Amino acid sequence: MFTAETYVARRAKLCEKVGQGLMLFIGNIDIACNYKDNTYHFRQDSTFLYLFGLKVAGIAATLDAETGEAILYMDELTMDDIIWMGNQPSVSDQAATVGVTKVMPVSKLAGVVEANKGREIHYVPTYHGVTTIRIAELLGKTTKEVENGASVKLIKALVSMREIKEQCEIEELRKHMAVGREMHMAAMTMAHAGRTEAEIMAMVGRMSQRYGGPVSFPIICTVHGETLHNHGYPNTLKNGQLLLVDAGSESPMCYATDHTRTSPVGGKFTAQQREIYQIVLDANNAVAATCEPGITYKEVHLMACRVIASGLKELGLMKGDVDEAVMEGAHALFMPHGIGHMLGLDVHDMESYNEVLVGYDDEIQKSTQFGLASLRLGKRLKEGFVVTDEPGIYFIPALIDKWKSEGICKDFINFDALDAYRTFGGIRLEDDLLITRHGCENLGERIPIEPEEVETEVNKNRFNNF
């Protein structure tokens, strides 16, 4: 937890930005997995963490934009709670750690909301059905009205604050990057024939848990890297394949890491794999060399796409003018996603608010073009942003067949040459970047990424007894 002064300052700044009305914040509750007492891992709502810092299930808060008064709604533990969970600090002591002096039982929340119904009541979009229902009951609205009634003013205010990471947040992120590095180093050294994706996924998750935090999203660990979000682990590794691992860890303060590395099973890239790998690495490095305050991430994305298109043209897989090819979206056959997204308390930071309100603005609009439409962050970078840098090249047989049969971008794609790549899979390389005053920095010690470094790590085979 940060200092009480940090949370007090955040709430005061938010009140100033919102100006009028009552802000309502509903913390998360324990969610049943398959029966009431068997719950999923509890994760507090990120907005609640940002403003109130407490990882307690079932609590809520209000914040008066005009007076600045913050109220926490928490219940003291019952004897049953103490028996099952042990003693906890009193609610007043917990509130004091985040600078709140007024605490009420949860049952009083409805009365406070009722007393303020003549005012504008602000809340952020919900993502749990139970939260939607709770707000609907408090406001006397339908769930559909609640889903459509989130406060744009509150969202924009929070985005303007959370997108610029404070020094304490940067320190937390930078410190925890070492855990992300350990996770991926472990995966590399297990990339050997006979291993299973499930074994490697388990080791990666174990590394995160070892340092006190769960993974920050479901681990992607697959020899079918052409499937962008592959969360199954049924395959046994074979020499000559590529193992793509996209994984991150959540710090004790709930800040996320997010990295991807692709390793050659058996410890040696084939000539074909190394050629494609180098193009992706060139794009990754070009992003890091280009990022600085003032440039739009859409520009950075398109620059990386030109690097990829140029490299594929040299290999004979693309043709024609590179700039025209990227303008027409031809490169998206090979990279149908964006170059990156914001990172912070959420692995896709703040996207529960609204992806467009977070990643775009009045100047930079979201595209509808295939590939570019998947760019989550397009607006101008600012000092203090933390973003991912994750170019990739994928050979997706079904997509290749569709484009070939429909003649999509036929002036820029050598479809016949792609036959030799139908079983290639995919390569993605992802780093986490902090935008600084004059450029950017890779947060934490960089995970091995040069092809020779990766081969060296794979050949260490440290976890041969796991």
Side-chain angles (χ1 to χ4, degrees):
M1 192 176 296
F2 299 127
T3 64
E5 291 76 15
T6 297
Y7 298 105
V8 170
R10 287 173 178 176
R11 295 192 296 266
K13 187 174 182 179
L14 183 61
C15 287
E16 182 180 347
K17 285 178 174 289
V18 173
Q20 294 182 323
L22 185 74
M23 292 173 269
L24 173 63
F25 303 100
I26 304 296
N28 283 340
I29 66 170
D30 283 318
I31 302 293
C33 175
N34 53 357
Y35 61 91
K36 184 178 178 181
D37 291 331
N38 185 24
T39 62
Y40 289 105
H41 167 76
F42 175 74
R43 172 50 155 85
Q44 184 60 282
D45 173 71
S46 293
T47 302
F48 205 94
L49 284 174
Y50 182 75
L51 295 170
F52 294 95
L54 298 177
K55 300 178 183 179
V56 180
I59 64 178
T62 53
L63 182 61
D64 193 312
E66 294 158 43
T67 67
E69 182 182 54
I71 304 174
L72 273 167
Y73 302 86
M74 302 174 62
D75 294 329
E76 296 285 3
L77 294 184
T78 66
M79 183 54 64
D80 276 352
D81 293 331
I82 294 171
I83 290 170
W84 290 101
M85 300 188 301
N87 261 319
Q88 307 291 324
S90 68
V91 295
S92 59
D93 286 346
Q94 292 185 66
T97 64
V98 293
V100 177
T101 58
K102 189 169 184 177
V103 185
M104 293 183 174
V106 174
S107 61
K108 298 293 185 182
L109 175 60
V112 172
V113 172
E114 182 66 30
N116 283 274
K117 278 192 176 176
R119 307 170 65 195
E120 187 174 7
I121 297 181
H122 305 274
Y123 58 90
V124 296
T126 60
Y127 50 89
H128 281 321
V130 290
T131 306
T132 306
I133 292 169
R134 191 173 181 195
I135 293 176
E137 291 173 344
L138 288 168
L139 300 182
K141 296 184 176 182
T142 67
T143 55
K144 183 58 68 176
E145 287 173 327
V146 169
E147 289 171 353
N148 295 330
S151 170
V152 173
K153 181 183 287 188
L154 177 57
I155 291 169
K156 288 185 174 181
L158 283 165
V159 169
S160 70
M161 293 171 60
R162 288 180 60 186
E163 69 183 5
I164 307 295
K165 300 299 182 283
E166 298 163 285
Q167 190 58 42
C168 59
E169 295 178 288
I170 292 169
E171 290 170 3
E172 178 71 6
L173 281 161
R174 184 180 283 124
K175 179 174 62 178
H176 204 65
M177 291 294 159
V179 179
R181 190 173 193 273
E182 282 293 315
M183 293 164 69
H184 284 274
M185 300 271 284
M188 287 178 186
T189 64
M190 293 181 73
H192 289 276
R195 290 285 191 187
T196 66
E197 295 166 338
E199 284 180 281
I200 299 170
M201 178 275 296
M203 176 58 82
V204 171
R206 173 182 168 185
M207 285 292 178
S208 184
Q209 294 283 358
R210 177 182 177 185
Y211 294 99
V215 293
S216 52
F217 58 94
I219 295 168
I220 299 168
C221 177
T222 180
V223 293
H224 288 290
E226 75 279 8
T227 304
L228 300 185
H229 278 185
N230 197 330
H231 292 147
Y233 315 103
N235 298 300
T236 299
L237 277 59
K238 300 175 183 177
N239 284 331
Q241 292 179 318
L242 292 169
L243 176 71
L244 187 152
V245 177
D246 188 341
S249 178
E250 186 172 277
S251 81
M253 296 284 292
C254 295
Y255 284 80
T257 75
D258 184 10
H259 298 95
T260 308
R261 289 296 185 266
T262 308
S263 306
V265 177
K268 187 70 175 176
F269 287 108
T270 67
Q272 186 190 60
Q273 290 169 347
R274 194 178 181 113
E275 289 173 339
I276 299 298
Y277 188 99
Q278 189 62 53
I279 297 170
V280 178
L281 179 57
D282 289 346
N284 177 286
N285 287 333
V287 169
T290 304
C291 282
E292 63 181 4
I295 192 171
T296 71
Y297 218 40
K298 182 178 180 179
E299 292 177 83
V300 176
H301 169 85
L302 293 173
M303 176 278 301
C305 293
R306 288 192 290 272
V307 172
I308 287 171
S310 180
L312 292 174
K313 181 179 177 181
E314 288 184 18
L315 293 182
L317 302 181
M318 293 187 69
K319 59 185 178 181
D321 183 82
V322 167
D323 290 337
E324 289 182 18
V326 171
M327 186 182 304
E328 292 297 319
H331 64 280
L333 175 64
F334 307 99
M335 193 181 90
H337 62 74
I339 199 63
H341 51 80
M342 287 193 180
L343 185 72
L345 275 170
D346 308 306
V347 69
H348 286 183
D349 206 26
M350 302 177 284
E351 284 187 15
S352 64
Y353 294 161
N354 179 299
E355 182 185 317
V356 174
L357 290 177
V358 172
Y360 292 85
D361 53 24
D362 292 339
E363 178 194 10
I364 308 298
Q365 305 296 308
K366 191 174 178 67
S367 173
T368 58
Q369 184 187 67
F370 178 76
L372 188 54
S374 295
L375 177 63
R376 289 181 160 93
L377 173 64
K379 66 187 180 184
R380 293 191 184 278
L381 300 178
K382 299 176 185 177
E383 182 181 357
F385 277 22
V386 176
V387 301
T388 63
D389 165 12
E390 49 181 310
I393 294 177
Y394 317 88
F395 296 89
I396 307 169
L399 186 61
I400 292 170
D401 292 343
K402 174 181 171 62
W403 279 36
K404 183 177 181 179
S405 66
E406 297 178 14
I408 298 173
C409 293
K410 57 184 176 59
D411 294 334
F412 303 108
I413 308 291
N414 285 320
F415 287 105
D416 290 342
L418 296 180
D419 288 342
Y421 292 81
R422 289 186 69 86
T423 61
F424 183 95
I427 292 174
R428 181 164 64 254
L429 300 172
E430 178 181 15
D431 291 323
D432 300 338
L433 306 178
L434 168 67
I435 307 304
T436 60
R437 181 170 300 179
H438 302 297
C440 72
E441 69 170 81
N442 209 308
L443 279 172
E445 184 180 358
R446 197 180 192 191
I447 300 166
I449 197 169
E450 294 292 336
E452 298 84 2
E453 294 177 327
V454 175
E455 289 176 340
T456 297
E457 290 302 319
V458 174
N459 284 306
K460 287 180 180 178
N461 198 12
R462 286 189 293 135
F463 298 101
N464 55 354
N465 292 321
F466 178 73

